[in-house]
């Protein structure tokens, strides 16, 4: 069975419905592809071969109908999403042996769609990082250049899709953790509106920012995956009780009359010249398709990184307090007292980046500093959201780069956290405002992909998909492939 790894979800579905292949054939081919390429990209922490093949056989017995568009399709899962009977580590020594007894709601939806999870994907520890280098287990490589980072924290998810290991993967996005790795690996990544996808069963990093979303190799595949995982969940207090439209409905290629805003701050200092040129060319493409693209301003976006690291770290310091060696997580054997259990378990179980953010968050929330830092950050967060509201009063979408640069070298920025944090400057404001954002391929610089970011109104992912699909049909960036997927780069 050759090159099933290079086909779209629709193509795979057609093969399954026509019985040219079975779900077992496809799952086995996927597992073989992972084994063939894993030493090059290191994207998986756990491969659940036996369970995946059992699911595939059950689907073959039931049969794949025309309507069940995702039935029998293999999927990779980021390792901070809880999966029953499959290890869930959040890429941390703290949870290295955590074998959950329940599934996250998003996994229930994956199983309801008869998709087949094939394993858990590498990430930055507890989703804290921008390069997938803070994982306790391994460093994932970029699919286009194995000496470069894949981005983070959903770097394993992005590299697995871009290298053809899986046709679709789930990631999570707290400050750009789906869009930045999607940009670095030349694929499509969607961070839905906060509340669109249930967070029940997601190991929390920053509860007011985290959101689960799909990564795929084209826009329509992405819309199909979001159709499957969206919807209200009574088990998640932040889940939104809004209807879920068919996200593929607007994929016509027609965007005549659409109004798109291009913030001048998104093309300012710190954005590489090639990235800026690619985004300006993308703006011209939208104009040629009949849309209006005009410059606007998001004046408070420059404060986004500072606000994010206070709010996200404060929430992380609270969420991670449960991992203490008593209630949850790794327990140190190097103990002589109860205090030793707490201190040594957390000292040995957490990595450097996680400790750094816990300390920053604890400081921001401490008596005497709360008003100066956490409260002030919340006030500026409101100003950032109001900037978006003003723009969306006149425009349908906002466009800009997903990242100010293309993928950088492994180890290049790991000892410079400030430089690493600043690489998320263009994605963080979206999470602070709870808006949907996506990245799709829009060019190349020195052989590495450039990502175009589209930002939509709350719960208006349809307009984003509509514009993204039109752009994809008008360009050929999504057809370029890394060598590992058969390309010539």
């Amino acid at each position: 069975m050759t090159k099933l790894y290079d086909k779209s979800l629709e193509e795979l579905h057609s093969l399954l419905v026509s019985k040219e292949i079975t779900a077992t054939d496809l799952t086995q081919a996927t597992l073989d592809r992972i084994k063939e390429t894993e030493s090059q990209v290191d994207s998986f922490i756990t491969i659940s071969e036996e369970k995946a093949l059992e699911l595939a056989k059950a689907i073959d017995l039931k049969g794949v109908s025309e309507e069940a568009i995702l039935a029998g399709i293999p999927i990779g899962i980021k390792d901070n999403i809880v999966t029953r009977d499959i290890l869930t580590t959040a890429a941390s020594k703290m949870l290295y042996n955590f074998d959950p007894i329940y599934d996250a709601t998003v996994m229930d939806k994956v199983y309801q769609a008869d998709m087949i999870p094939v394993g858990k994907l590498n990430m930055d520890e507890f989703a804290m990082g921008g390069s997938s280098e803070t994982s306790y287990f391994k460093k994932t490589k970029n699919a286009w250049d194995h000496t470069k980072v894949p981005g983070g924290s959903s770097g394993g998810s992005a590299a697995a899709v871009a290298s053809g290991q899986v046709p679709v993967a789930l990631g999570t996005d707290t400050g750009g953790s789906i869009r930045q790795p999607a940009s670095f690996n030349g694929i499509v990544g969607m961070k839905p509106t906060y509340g669109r996808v249930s967070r029940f069963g997601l190991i929390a990093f920053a509860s007011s920012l985290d959101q689960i979303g799909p990564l795929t190799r084209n826009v329509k595949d992405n819309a199909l995956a979001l159709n499957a995982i969206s919807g209200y969940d009574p088990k998640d207090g932040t889940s939104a009780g809004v209807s879920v439209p068919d996200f593929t409905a607007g994929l016509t290629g027609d965007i005549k009359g659409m109004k798109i805003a291009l913030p001048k701050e998104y093309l300012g200092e710190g954005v590489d010249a090639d990235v800026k040129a690619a985004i300006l060319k993308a703006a011209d493409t939208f104009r040629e398709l009949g849309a209006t693209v005009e410059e606007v301003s998001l004046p408070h976006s420059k404060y986004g990184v500072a606000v994010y690291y206070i709010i996200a770290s404060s929430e992380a310091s609270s969420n991670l307090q449960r991992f203490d060696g008593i209630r949850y997580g790794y327990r140190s054997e190097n103990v002589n007292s109860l205090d030793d259990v707490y201190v040594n378990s957390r000292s040995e179980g957490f990595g450097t980046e996680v400790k750094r953010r816990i300390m920053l968050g604890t400081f921001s929330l401490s008596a005497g500093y709360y008003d100066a830092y956490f409260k002030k950050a919340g006030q500026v967060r409101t100003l950032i959201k109001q900037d978006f509201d003003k723009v969306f009063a006149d425009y349908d979408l906002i466009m800009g780069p997903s990242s100010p640069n293309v993928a950088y070298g492994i180890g290049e920025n790991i000892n410079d956290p400030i430089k690493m944090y600043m690489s998320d400057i263009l994605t963080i404001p979206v999470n602070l405002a709870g808006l949907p954002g996506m990245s799709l391929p829009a060019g190349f610089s020195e052989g590495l992909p450039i990502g175009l970011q589209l930002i939509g109104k709350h719960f208006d992912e349809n307009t984003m998909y509509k514009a993204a699909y039109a752009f994809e049909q008008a360009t050929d960036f999504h057809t370029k492939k890394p060598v590992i997927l058969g390309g010539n780069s």
Side-chain angles (χ1 to χ4, degrees), residues 237-250:
T238 61
S239 181
V242 298
S243 61
V244 179
D246 178 0
F247 296 115
T248 66

Side-chain angles (χ1 to χ4, degrees), residues 158-213:
V161 171
S163 61
Q165 292 184 317
V166 288
V168 55
L170 294 184
T172 63
D173 192 316
T174 305
S177 296
I178 287 175
R179 288 160 287 159
Q180 185 243 34
S183 172
F184 280 10
N185 285 276
I187 61 172
V188 180
M190 165 63 87
K191 179 260 170 198
T193 308
Y194 185 79
R196 171 69 85 186
V197 178
S198 172
R199 293 186 304 109
F200 177 79
L202 169 63
I203 296 174
F205 162 18
S207 303
S208 74
L209 302 165
D210 298 335
Q211 187 64 188
I212 298 171

Side-chain angles (χ1 to χ4, degrees), residues 415-442:
N415 295 317
D416 188 345
I418 301 299
K419 191 170 183 179
M420 189 89 79
Y421 296 168
M422 292 305 289
S423 69
D424 293 336
I425 192 169
L426 302 173
T427 51
I428 279 172
V430 171
N431 298 73
L432 292 171
L435 295 165
M438 70 184 298
S439 180
L440 66 156

Side-chain angles (χ1 to χ4, degrees), residues 269-343:
E269 187 179 352
V271 177
D272 284 356
D274 286 352
V275 173
K276 183 176 179 179
I279 299 308
L280 290 174
K281 190 173 180 182
D284 288 339
T285 299
F286 281 127
R287 292 187 182 102
E288 291 165 6
L289 290 167
T292 300
V293 182
E294 295 175 335
E295 183 178 284
V296 299
S297 178
L298 295 171
H300 296 97
S301 61
K302 60 186 175 186
Y303 303 117
V305 171
V307 167
Y308 171 83
Y309 278 96
I310 292 172
I311 291 176
S313 299
S314 298
E315 293 183 11
S317 71
S318 176
N319 283 324
L320 269 58
Q321 66 176 329
R322 74 193 70 174
F323 301 109
D324 57 10
I326 300 290
R327 291 170 292 180
Y328 296 99
Y330 166 84
R331 179 179 295 182
S332 174
E333 296 181 356
N334 179 30
V335 296
N336 293 308
S337 67
L338 181 60
D339 281 350
D340 284 350
V341 174
Y342 288 114
V343 173

Side-chain angles (χ1 to χ4, degrees), residues 242-271:
V242 298
S243 61
V244 179
D246 178 0
F247 296 115
T248 66
L251 306 186
T252 63
D254 181 9
I255 59 167
K256 290 184 178 64
M258 187 176 287
K259 294 190 68 178
I260 302 175
L262 178 56
K264 61 182 180 182
E265 292 83 2
Y266 280 29
L267 295 176
E269 187 179 352
V271 177

